[in-house]
Amino acid sequence: MMKDAEQLDIALNVNGVARPAKVEPFLTLQACLHHRLGFREVRYGCGEGVCGACMVLVDGEPKSSCLILAVQAQGRNIVTADGLDVYFAQNKNTVAAGLRAQLTARQAFQCGYCSCGVMVSAAHHIASEASVTPSSLKTALSGNMCRCTGYQQMMEATLATSQREPAPQSPVQRGDLPVKMSGAAGYPTDQKTAGPLIGKILWAQYPSARISSIDTRAAAAVPGVEAVLTHRDIPKQNSTGATSFGNDQPLLAVDRVRTMADAVALVAARDEAAAAEALKLIQVTYEPLQPITDLPGAIEPGSAKNVTAQFVQETGDVDAAFRTADLVVTGRYSNEINDHACMELEGGTAWMEDGTLMIAVPHQTAESGQRAVSKMLGISQDNVRIISQNMGGSFGKYAAFTIEGYLGLLAYHLQKPVRLVLGRDEILQRRSKRHPSYGDYRLALTRDGRFLALDATILTDAGPYVGLTPAVAAVIGAEASASYNIPSVRSRVRGILTNNLPTIPMRGYGSQQISFGVESIVEQAAHKLGMDPADLRKRNYKKTRTDGWGHPIPGKDFWLTQTMDRVRELLGPPPLCPPGWHYGRGVTTIHAKYGYPYGMVDRFVVKVGVNKDGQFRVECDISDSGTAVTNEMARLLAKGLGLTKLPEYVQSRAAIDDPSGIAFGRGHRPSWLKSAAYRTMEWVQMTGAKSLLVITARITNPRNLVRLQRVIARPANFFIKMAGNFKSWVFPFSRESFQPRFGSSRSLSMCAGAVLDGVERFKKTVLEVGAKEFSSDVSELQLDGEGVYHSSDTSRRLSWAALAQRAGGDLAVVGEIHNPVGPLLDPSTGNQTGAVDFMDGSHGCDLLIRPDTGQVRILKYVAVHDVGYAFNPEALRGQILGGITMGIGQAIFESMKVQDGKVLNTGLHDYLVATTLDLPEEVKVEILESGNGMGPYGSKGIGESGAVAAPIAIANALYNALGMQLETIPSTPEKLAAMADAGAGQRSAIAV
Amino acid sequence: MRYTKAENVEAAASAVANGAVPLAGGTILVPAIARCEHQDHTFVDISGLAALTRIETTDSLLLLGSMVTLDGLASAAAKHNGTPARRALFQAAQAVGNPQVRRSGTIGGNIAAGVATVDVYPALLALEAQVTSLHGGTSETVPISELSTAGRLITTIQVPTDGETRSAFRKFAWRASAGITLANVAVCLRIRDAAILSARIVVGGVSARAQRLAKAEQLLADKPANQWTRDLIDEAARIGSMEATCDLPAPPSPEYRRRLIAAGVRETLSEILL
Ligand SMILES: Cc1cc2nc3c(=O)[nH]c(=O)nc-3n(C[C@H](O)[C@H](O)[C@H](O)COP(=O)(O)OP(=O)(O)OC[C@H]3O[C@@H](n4cnc5c(N)ncnc54)[C@H](O)[C@@H]3O)c2cc1C
Ligand code: FES
Ligand code: FES
């Protein structure tokens, strides 16, 4: 039985100020500083001393505050990241201020979650070390994990600070970084931390079982427990997960659990201990069933049982090509599950505010989360708001759903604030993972290395629910030809239901899975032919850029050859191989699709405007997961209007409430009636589009599929024509409004397009307002960075603020971007159609492996990407560097131990996210600008491609070093050592 | 859970004798406390006891307070690195966790933790350290291999040393920082008149407790300098890796751990002998 925990009065000294606090003896210093005292810069990523997010100076030494009890810190001098400047300035040391300037100018952070811990370690290292070297710095930062950046830019910034270099003049203003590098950021787990009830989830005990009873009485009787909820307490729809393809995932289990990720009950209590106690006392009677956990074991030949997605595509005469080929190579390649391992834990707080349920959780598409929660609770979508302006990482994890359902249910039921943050163990063991896949590949070639045909049969594990599997299966299948011109291609992809963990894309919908398979079979072909792997690739590259329909776009060739040539130049001659090691070089190419390949929708809306104080804002419902998109939108608006001050980015759904922009253009908010009407129309279309997807997911013959889609799409085309060029508020939606706001690699080019459109509309609107004011014609007015003026009498001017006042206090418009919609999936060419673009790049690496232990040392890693047009080269470089570092882990040691559907990893100590000490000894990233992308100025998406290519380049280098090919990623040193033994006889010297 | 702060070593020892759990650097205990795993325990915080943080060196002894941090130990290495006798200890301390764990974690905690994957304890075992502990008011000094921590507060660790001793340590982990030890090897040789007088080879991270590799030790005993060859070292590595008990249930496999042991024995012996 619980008794109220003893409370101790302590006096802390934080950033030079006495801070008394009441704490329980078990409260950590991190929790005390962050939750009780509001030092939000003292973040949390592991609770076990591994990640460094909670780092503070204790009596001048950087320490993990999660390893210290608050009571122990009594009388100690504590300095948080926000106190570094003052602390060091006491000793006339400007290290902290200098470091901050360098880190910002070099855009050293992305999501920014790690930044405060990094600054504590880095500032201390500079201040205490006589000479900072790259190697001393790597060690000093080796306790600070960053999932986004790959560490290079933060190391460059720290080194420059230590050498007292002035911060470089960055052409790019980053409004978001100084905020993220301080407690001001406000990540979901920072919201309302003092005082809420503590929520916890009772997870399934078995991967597959029937539930015969759930008894919550004993749990509810625990003192301090305020609610124990089961499926019976869900007011309306018991569902969660990605609902684009089906509603098969319950929020809380009813009579069956199908995966360890199923939740059975929720608890809210006054403190952690009471909540934990209540979880133990919930009695669930299970009847365990034999779980299906092995992929091929889940399917029966000739049966559609357990098949949840199917994608079949064939171009050319594959069988004939294999019959006549000079050489046929075959291989089986697979990838295991991976966790996104975002540095911020998944979770947040939910509370009621004026009848609206507020939920602070990480979410890439707040809109879809709001919709899901409103359906579950049976309340209007207007009464649910998801707040996720900043997120400590995402990488696809929060693309579809997060824990908003659990939080929403608890807070709405109790009408009280509830905090629910999953532990790292729960994230690893209970949350969705990247689709594990395995495939059989056959490649037919001519003697001189021309690809004739590719045949790929791939199984991908969906977990027990459909999730986004059909989309992932489609990308895996459609990308089978990868970077290559292959006349005949057959790909068969099936998504299989198992009792493993559910799945969600991670850095690319299936791109990793298919690229590893194709690049591996190509690499094997090079070995068989005795050809240089880079030359074999170059011989077969796709050259002419095609549009989404497969039509060539003359003068816009893909720059694959250019990227590969540059990679080879940068790699230079092979290094000397020390005794006791094997050397290998590997290269690969990435040509991943991004965009909406469904041929249906691709639309973004953004609200831009100014208020009566002359403050500019950009608003849309995109969350910032670190891709610099929100900052870029602000920059583009500033540039477009000639503003000197960077506008603010605010996450809101304003642009969705009035997609026509008409109400804003007149300085009004849309009436609730109008926004409800918009929402309803959107819902009708969503439902229509969704049933289309559900139906099509079941159809395996692509010809029938296309025929059906054409029929359904016909009325939508009519609306598009109606809407035409004049923007009618009667038809604000067309079929392209289906999932219009979605973040991934392409969000930058999409958002930029919408802002640029917004700028034009804004100019038009303010000129109209000005013309009315001056009673003159629009053509007599001009704009500058300050506002509107009369061309013949420049003293007649209206500032932005005045313009906004004339328009009722807020002058805003909605900008939008539509990508062209065309015929749907084309079965004859195998091309997915619609707004599709390609991320092009090549990677290469030199590495050493010790055959006895399997230890790998990456000597040099180079990556060259064609980004189309670089809005912000340094931010792009950071994305690629981060992808490379993630890829190193995913090639070698980011391995999950899974047994009978249960993940055994428990934290970041055993899920091995790479640290500074695991980086290649030298990394070079170069950016080419072909201007060939479909975004504004020819820009392209980039985000995922670095992470997709890196494990493959490493795998190919290991193949060349060991003489044996990796069949699975990750391949741990244990596997590599065994391969080294087996491959000892076969090592062939292939020089690249 | 109850928390008390010890005023002095004696008070701490008497609390421990009465069932309180010493809280040292907290790197192992605090995360467990935060997970509500210790609700019924009383903790006595010894982290403020300056008496337990001393480092003293004499010609024959290195004396370490139990609250000396791993970082303190590693930076003492800067001063004492010239002493090949204790090299294994410094190498082990530097191999622990990451910077913040080394700044908080203590040598006493490493010995008392009883965790299979610790690094410093095997090094101390190889170096034949002696441990002084208090049971209430009674002090006792025993070889580290005979230490039982129940009800005891470790106060000091004495590492013997002389001009004849050479030592080395290797740790294997898949991640370079905060990597869990998959195997570690600590070797301590006494060399007199150009011959190995005695050898102690300790392996950790592969079984619940660190173990000595008696057969490999025997192979090396009495070997004169002219026999210190690669072949001898390879043979010691082979024998040692075969005789070790590798019975931790978690992956990687015992076979792979034996590879690591062999590599560790080979590297440490090469460092000392070649
Ligand atoms: C991220 C991370 C990585 C790590 N990596 C490694 C590693 O690579 N190698 C390694 O060896 N260890 C590692 N550790 C474990 C740990 O940090 C060290 O073993 C450290 O030395 C433990 O010391 P402590 O003072 O923090 O122990 P505490 O957590 O304070 O205590 C641990 C145990 O020892 C007992 N104890 C402590 N001091 C005394 C004493 N004087 N007398 C009697 N009993 C005592 C405590 O009661 C408790 O049972 C890691 C820990 C973390 C969090
Ligand atoms: S939260 Fe403290 S180190 Fe990760
Ligand atoms: S920027 Fe470091 S974790 Fe995201």
Side-chain angles (χ1 to χ4, degrees):
Chain A
M1 188 91 328
M2 289 292 310
K3 53 178 180 336
D4 270 352
E6 172 198 10
Q7 297 247 324
L8 306 166
D9 282 303
I10 58 167
L12 297 180
N13 181 327
V14 190
N15 297 337
V17 179
R19 298 295 302 255
K22 262 195 182 331
V23 298
E24 299 79 16
F26 50 77
L27 194 76
T28 64
L29 178 59
Q30 188 277 332
C32 176
L33 291 170
H34 183 267
H35 304 355
R36 302 272 165 95
L37 298 177
F39 291 96
R40 290 167 160 194
E41 65 274 27
V42 186
R43 295 174 187 147
Y44 184 96
C46 69
E48 51 178 6
V50 182
C51 76
C54 66
M55 205 88 102
V56 293
L57 294 180
V58 179
D59 294 339
E61 292 257 283
K63 298 224 169 141
S64 281
S65 55
C66 69
L67 296 179
I68 302 171
L69 296 177
V71 282
Q72 294 185 284
Q74 165 100 292
R76 303 289 192 86
N77 251 322
I78 294 156
V79 178
T80 70
D82 286 8
L84 289 172
D85 301 60
V86 173
Y87 172 77
F88 284 105
Q90 286 163 359
N91 301 329
K92 308 237 175 326
N93 190 333
T94 56
V95 53
L99 180 65
R100 212 176 278 279
Q102 285 282 0
L103 289 165
T104 312
R106 292 169 192 266
Q107 307 187 53
F109 299 110
Q110 291 169 27
C111 82
Y113 197 74
C114 64
S115 61
C116 292
V118 168
M119 285 192 293
V120 171
S121 292
H124 171 266
H125 186 62
I126 301 170
S128 60
E129 202 70 17
S131 85
V132 177
T133 64
S135 111
S136 78
L137 187 56
K138 273 191 180 174
T139 305
L141 293 182
S142 64
N144 293 92
M145 271 180 191
C146 174
R147 188 58 156 167
C148 307
T149 66
Y151 306 104
Q152 298 292 343
Q153 289 153 317
M154 68 175 80
M155 293 197 294
E156 288 158 9
T158 310
L159 271 175
T161 312
S162 75
Q163 286 152 11
R164 300 186 187 283
E165 280 175 26
Q169 275 299 329
S170 169
V172 176
Q173 231 183 318
R174 283 296 295 265
D176 60 325
L177 286 183
V179 180
K180 291 170 178 170
M181 287 158 58
S182 78
Y187 293 92
T189 54
D190 289 341
Q191 309 287 339
K192 292 226 185 256
T193 50
L197 298 171
I198 301 297
K200 282 196 186 294
I201 299 175
L202 180 73
W203 301 103
Q205 198 177 330
Y206 302 95
S208 178
R210 266 191 276 279
I211 295 178
S212 43
S213 70
I214 307 173
D215 183 347
T216 59
R217 281 167 301 180
V222 172
V225 169
E226 302 226 351
V228 184
L229 306 182
T230 66
H231 67 94
R232 287 183 288 267
D233 301 296
I234 297 175
K236 270 279 189 293
Q237 194 174 314
N238 182 6
S239 87
T240 185
T243 51
S244 311
F245 298 99
N247 258 342
D248 55 352
Q249 182 169 3
L251 182 72
L252 291 172
V254 180
D255 53 2
R256 181 85 167 75
V257 289
R258 293 183 178 81
T259 163
M260 296 300 283
D262 279 339
V264 179
L266 304 174
V267 168
R270 283 206 293 271
D271 59 45
E272 287 275 343
E277 179 76 9
L279 279 192
K280 280 190 221 145
L281 294 177
I282 300 173
Q283 283 168 13
V284 185
T285 320
Y286 289 102
E287 210 183 295
L289 302 168
Q290 185 61 40
I292 300 169
T293 55
D294 141 60
L295 206 45
I299 42 173
E300 293 159 21
S303 150
K305 203 177 139 215
N306 294 337
V307 177
T308 187
Q310 176 117 264
F311 182 95
V312 186
Q313 172 183 290
E314 185 159 353
T315 54
D317 191 340
V318 175
D319 293 323
F322 273 96
R323 277 194 302 272
T324 55
D326 297 331
L327 175 68
V328 172
V329 250
T330 60
R332 170 174 289 188
Y333 305 103
S334 62
N335 68 292
E336 294 175 0
I337 58 173
N338 276 125
D339 190 70
H340 310 66
C342 306
M343 276 301 125
E344 184 181 27
L345 296 182
E346 181 172 355
T349 305
W351 65 95
M352 298 301 298
E353 203 171 291
D354 301 332
T356 298
L357 173 60
M358 313 289 282
I359 312 176
V361 281
H363 213 298
Q364 271 177 232
T365 51
E367 175 75 4
S368 68
Q370 283 156 188
R371 198 178 298 125
V373 172
S374 72
K375 275 191 198 162
M376 186 261 299
L377 295 173
I379 60 176
S380 155
Q381 204 184 316
D382 291 321
N383 292 337
V384 184
R385 239 196 94 195
I386 286 183
I387 307 161
S388 62
Q389 180 154 340
N390 283 322
M391 307 188 279
S394 174
F395 314 111
K397 183 156 205 117
Y398 307 129
F401 69 106
T402 157
I403 62 171
E404 68 270 8
Y406 305 120
L407 260 174
L409 180 57
L410 281 169
Y412 188 74
H413 182 93
L414 289 164
Q415 296 282 308
K416 284 184 183 173
V418 179
R419 176 176 167 85
L420 196 171
V421 178
L422 300 183
R424 187 60 73 178
D425 52 346
E426 290 175 289
I427 294 174
L428 291 170
Q429 296 174 353
R430 309 288 185 166
R431 304 300 284 164
S432 303
K433 300 284 172 286
R434 173 189 266 164
H435 287 78
S437 307
Y438 88 108
D440 286 312
Y441 294 81
R442 289 198 302 151
L443 181 67
L445 305 92
T446 62
R447 201 164 293 115
D448 61 349
R450 296 230 167 262
F451 299 166
L452 298 174
L454 176 76
D455 187 5
T457 306
I458 296 148
L459 297 181
T460 186
D461 184 345
Y465 306 114
V466 55
L468 294 171
T469 306
V472 170
V475 173
I476 292 179
E479 288 192 2
S481 62
S483 322
Y484 308 109
N485 216 339
I486 312 178
S488 306
V489 178
R490 175 160 61 217
S491 57
R492 282 172 294 200
V493 189
R494 274 174 297 173
I496 309 297
L497 294 177
T498 66
N499 297 111
N500 291 320
L501 290 181
T503 44
I504 190 98
M506 173 171 167
R507 284 218 146 156
Y509 276 54
S511 299
Q512 172 85 82
Q513 290 88 329
I514 186 71
S515 302
F516 176 58
V518 174
E519 292 299 324
S520 295
I521 198 82
V522 167
E523 190 74 10
Q524 200 202 125
H527 279 235
K528 294 256 159 76
L529 287 169
M531 257 181 95
D532 176 325
D535 286 339
L536 179 63
R537 286 182 169 81
K538 281 171 65 179
R539 180 160 304 179
N540 292 283
Y541 279 151
K542 283 176 185 149
K543 297 254 160 35
T544 317
R545 163 111 162 79
T546 47
D547 65 10
W549 300 268
H551 308 132
I553 309 178
K556 291 213 165 185
D557 284 358
F558 288 129
W559 279 22
L560 289 163
T561 307
Q562 286 88 329
T563 60
M564 180 58 84
D565 286 344
R566 187 68 188 131
V567 158
R568 293 216 285 187
E569 269 169 44
L570 290 173
L571 279 174
L576 287 177
C577 179
W581 295 79
H582 292 339
Y583 159 76
R585 170 170 289 186
V587 295
T588 191
T589 295
I590 173 89
H591 180 69
K593 265 182 197 147
Y594 72 96
Y596 271 128
Y598 316 113
M600 285 194 289
V601 256
D602 208 13
R603 172 170 175 269
F604 253 85
V605 281
V606 163
K607 180 185 168 191
V608 301
V610 61
N611 67 13
K612 62 180 181 342
D613 302 323
Q615 272 248 292
F616 276 87
R617 276 182 157 199
V618 187
E619 298 178 42
C620 72
D621 89 331
I622 277 230
S623 312
D624 182 348
S625 59
T627 53
V629 169
T630 56
N631 190 70
E632 219 51 55
M633 287 195 275
R635 280 210 318 132
L636 282 168
L637 176 57
K639 194 171 157 202
L641 295 176
L643 310 172
T644 42
K645 186 161 174 269
L646 202 60
E648 188 188 7
Y649 172 76
V650 177
Q651 184 189 28
S652 87
R653 60 183 187 206
I656 303 161
D657 287 344
D658 177 19
S660 68
I662 289 175
F664 293 130
R666 296 188 187 130
H668 305 303
R669 280 178 195 290
S671 70
W672 73 266
L673 190 68
K674 198 180 263 182
S675 47
Y678 287 142
R679 202 84 49 65
T680 311
M681 289 169 75
E682 191 188 18
W683 176 81
V684 170
Q685 294 191 345
M686 287 284 297
T687 315
K690 201 165 71 183
S691 38
L692 176 129
L693 280 173
V694 171
I695 299 164
T696 54
R698 305 271 179 274
I699 294 181
T700 52
N701 180 339
R703 273 168 218 284
N704 289 341
L705 179 116
V706 168
R707 239 172 259 144
L708 179 77
Q709 285 177 324
R710 290 237 164 89
V711 172
I712 297 175
R714 216 164 281 150
N717 278 326
F718 167 75
F719 285 125
I720 294 170
K721 291 234 166 62
M722 285 291 295
N725 287 332
F726 84 96
K727 204 167 147 65
S728 159
W729 76 274
V730 186
F731 296 112
F733 294 104
S734 52
R735 66 177 180 174
E736 61 265 56
S737 67
F738 170 63
Q739 287 198 342
R741 303 157 289 276
F742 207 62
S744 63
S745 322
R746 69 201 194 89
S747 43
L748 175 56
S749 58
M750 293 298 286
C751 289
V755 171
L756 293 178
D757 178 56
V759 166
E760 291 316 310
R761 287 174 195 273
F762 184 84
K763 284 180 179 167
K764 193 162 161 263
T765 307
V766 289
L767 286 173
E768 279 164 8
V769 173
K772 211 165 135 200
E773 181 70 21
F774 296 140
S775 310
S776 52
D777 194 75
V778 168
S779 62
E780 296 170 89
L781 301 184
Q782 288 204 318
L783 285 169
D784 63 12
E786 310 285 315
V788 181
Y789 62 92
H790 204 280
S791 358
S792 54
D793 176 3
T794 48
S795 67
R796 291 177 73 193
R797 62 161 45 242
L798 276 174
S799 68
W800 299 123
L803 284 160
Q805 280 153 15
R806 298 295 183 288
D810 201 4
L811 181 59
V813 298
V814 170
E816 65 175 339
I817 181 168
H818 286 242
N819 274 321
V821 230
L824 301 163
L825 192 88
D826 183 341
S828 57
T829 64
N831 245 304
Q832 287 182 332
T833 58
V836 181
D837 199 1
F838 301 87
M839 306 186 263
D840 292 328
S842 295
H843 287 213
C845 79
D846 278 340
L847 55 73
L848 300 175
I849 172 162
R850 254 182 78 162
D852 57 341
T853 62
Q855 249 168 295
V856 178
R857 252 178 76 192
I858 302 174
L859 301 175
K860 190 172 193 177
Y861 197 103
V862 305
V864 180
H865 282 254
D866 170 25
V867 304
Y869 166 83
F871 280 95
N872 180 347
E874 202 51 25
L876 289 169
R877 181 171 163 254
Q879 291 278 320
I880 299 167
L881 287 166
I884 293 170
T885 304
M886 200 182 251
I888 293 171
Q890 285 172 6
I892 305 169
F893 46 66
E894 255 186 53
S895 141
M896 297 220 114
K897 299 175 201 89
V898 193
Q899 212 171 51
D900 303 327
K902 299 182 188 176
V903 167
L904 305 179
N905 303 54
T906 58
L908 290 179
H909 66 279
D910 65 3
Y911 188 68
L912 304 180
V913 170
T915 67
T916 46
L917 293 178
D918 303 294
L919 296 176
E921 285 158 34
E922 186 188 350
V923 190
K924 279 194 184 137
V925 168
E926 276 193 10
I927 284 166
L928 307 180
E929 295 178 284
S930 66
N932 286 350
M934 69 175 176
Y937 311 117
S939 63
K940 296 182 172 202
I942 167 82
E944 293 115 14
S945 54
V948 171
I952 304 171
I954 294 167
N956 287 342
L958 287 167
Y959 179 12
N960 291 320
L962 295 171
M964 287 274 287
Q965 188 166 30
L966 270 63
E967 289 173 348
T968 308
I969 43 172
S971 278
T972 61
E974 179 176 13
K975 268 190 221 163
L976 296 175
M979 284 169 59
D981 285 358
Q986 311 180 18
R987 297 214 309 126
S988 54
I990 293 199
V992 180
Chain B
M1 163 207 167
R2 270 177 49 79
Y3 168 87
T4 55
K5 199 167 173 68
E7 293 296 324
N8 52 47
V9 177
E10 293 69 35
S14 100
V16 173
N18 289 320
V21 180
L23 174 60
T27 56
I28 294 173
L29 282 179
V30 171
I33 291 171
R35 289 192 299 265
C36 306
E37 283 172 20
H38 287 285
Q39 291 192 48
D40 306 327
H41 289 133
T42 296
F43 289 91
V44 54
D45 187 354
I46 59 170
S47 63
L49 299 178
L52 297 181
T53 57
R54 61 196 176 132
I55 303 181
E56 284 168 25
T57 43
T58 66
D59 284 347
S60 62
L61 215 61
L62 169 65
L63 190 139
L64 299 162
S66 65
M67 280 300 303
V68 167
T69 63
L70 303 168
D71 206 31
L73 194 55
S75 59
K79 267 190 270 170
H80 307 290
N81 214 7
T83 324
R86 308 177 199 118
R87 185 116 170 219
L89 181 58
F90 301 135
Q91 289 173 326
Q94 267 161 326
V96 171
N98 59 21
Q100 62 265 37
V101 168
R102 292 193 290 272
R103 268 185 215 113
S104 291
T106 66
I107 183 167
N110 204 288
I111 297 170
V115 177
T117 54
V118 291
D119 292 311
V120 179
Y121 175 78
L124 290 170
L125 208 55
L127 294 172
E128 294 183 90
Q130 301 264 321
V131 178
T132 304
S133 61
L134 283 173
H135 183 74
T138 332
S139 166
E140 183 183 90
T141 300
V142 295
I144 191 168
S145 56
E146 289 164 27
L147 178 74
S148 143
T149 50
R152 295 185 169 278
L153 178 74
I154 300 174
T155 54
T156 48
I157 295 98
Q158 291 91 256
V159 187
T161 177
D162 54 49
E164 298 173 336
T165 305
R166 300 277 180 279
S167 74
F169 173 91
R170 277 293 178 285
K171 159 177 172 166
F172 294 95
W174 286 346
R175 181 170 59 191
S177 178
I180 297 176
T181 301
L182 304 173
N184 59 31
V185 175
V187 169
C188 180
L189 305 180
R190 293 190 68 199
I191 296 166
R192 186 182 296 164
D193 301 334
I196 297 172
L197 202 61
S198 67
R200 289 170 66 89
I201 305 180
V202 177
V203 167
V206 298
S207 189
R209 214 63 179 127
Q211 55 190 298
R212 284 179 64 182
L213 302 179
K215 290 183 185 155
E217 289 176 0
Q218 233 159 20
L219 176 78
L220 296 174
D222 304 329
K223 285 284 181 303
N226 61 8
Q227 289 180 30
W228 298 352
T229 60
R230 276 231 163 265
D231 286 348
L232 176 74
I233 290 172
D234 285 347
E235 184 59 7
R238 195 187 64 78
I239 295 178
S241 65
M242 294 312 293
E243 70 178 298
T245 306
C246 297
D247 57 2
L248 285 185
S253 66
E255 295 71 45
Y256 180 69
R257 289 186 198 261
R258 286 185 204 288
R259 281 171 173 271
L260 300 180
I261 296 170
V265 171
R266 205 177 299 121
E267 285 178 26
T268 45
L269 287 179
S270 305
E271 185 178 314
I272 301 172
L273 297 178
L274 300 184

